């Protein structure tokens, strides 16, 4: 019987190995806040569907549309953090602003909101501000490290 299994070769002599290694390091280096992508997406998803979960679609129609739009925006930010992290981390400040807006939106957009609606938006807003701040701090730290690395080389 013939041996048809492939032998594992050493890739260090491959002509593209240094380029692949550099690309791998660059991708891993830009994933500093990978822990934020999933929670932000889930938070956006919850924000979008929260009017139906808490049943205020008839009492607060403007907030239904508002939470749906803000939830979709948060979800898109999370997908952007996943797809192009180095370009999207600059929008961490926008995520913080979106969180602050979510906190005050029941009084600005809604009409006589009840406690459930207020708490829902305040918790979503607070979590958005916390995750946005963590993302901004980590992105700033990564930018400082990249500047220091470019100066030393």
């Amino acid at each position: 019987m013939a041996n048809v299994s492939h032998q594992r070769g050493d890739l260090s002599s491959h002509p593209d190995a240094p380029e692949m290694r550099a690309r791998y390091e660059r991708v891993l280096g830009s994933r500093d806040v990978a822990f934020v992508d999933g929670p932000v997406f889930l938070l956006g998803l919850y924000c979008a569907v929260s009017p139906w979960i808490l049943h205020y679609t008839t009492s607060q129609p403007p907030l239904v549309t508002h939470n749906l739009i803000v939830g979709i925006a948060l979800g898109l930010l999370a997908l952007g953090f996943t797809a192009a992290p180095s370009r999207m981390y600059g929008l961490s400040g926008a995520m913080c602003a979106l969180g602050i807006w979510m906190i005050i939106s029941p009084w600005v957009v809604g009409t006589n909101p009840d406690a459930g609606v207020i708490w829902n938006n305040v918790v979503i807003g607070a979590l958005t501000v916390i995750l946005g701040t963590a993302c901004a701090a980590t992105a700033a730290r990564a930018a400082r490290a990249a500047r220091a690395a470019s100066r030393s080389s």
Side-chain angles (χ1 to χ4, degrees), residues 1-2 62 64 78 102 115 121 127 131 146:
M1 186 103 163
V64 172
M102 278 301 292
N121 281 21
L127 288 172
L131 291 172

Side-chain angles (χ1 to χ4, degrees), residues 74-129:
L74 283 173
L76 289 174
L77 276 173
L79 291 175
F81 287 147
T82 302
S86 58
R87 286 186 243 158
M88 292 295 292
Y89 289 153
L91 291 177
S92 322
M95 199 163 93
C96 292
L98 214 57
I100 292 169
W101 172 249
M102 278 301 292
I103 292 171
I104 63 171
S105 67
W107 296 281
V108 177
V109 178
T111 53
N112 297 324
D114 63 353
V117 173
I118 292 170
W119 276 108
N120 178 61
N121 281 21
V122 167
V123 169
I124 291 171
L127 288 172
T128 303
V129 169

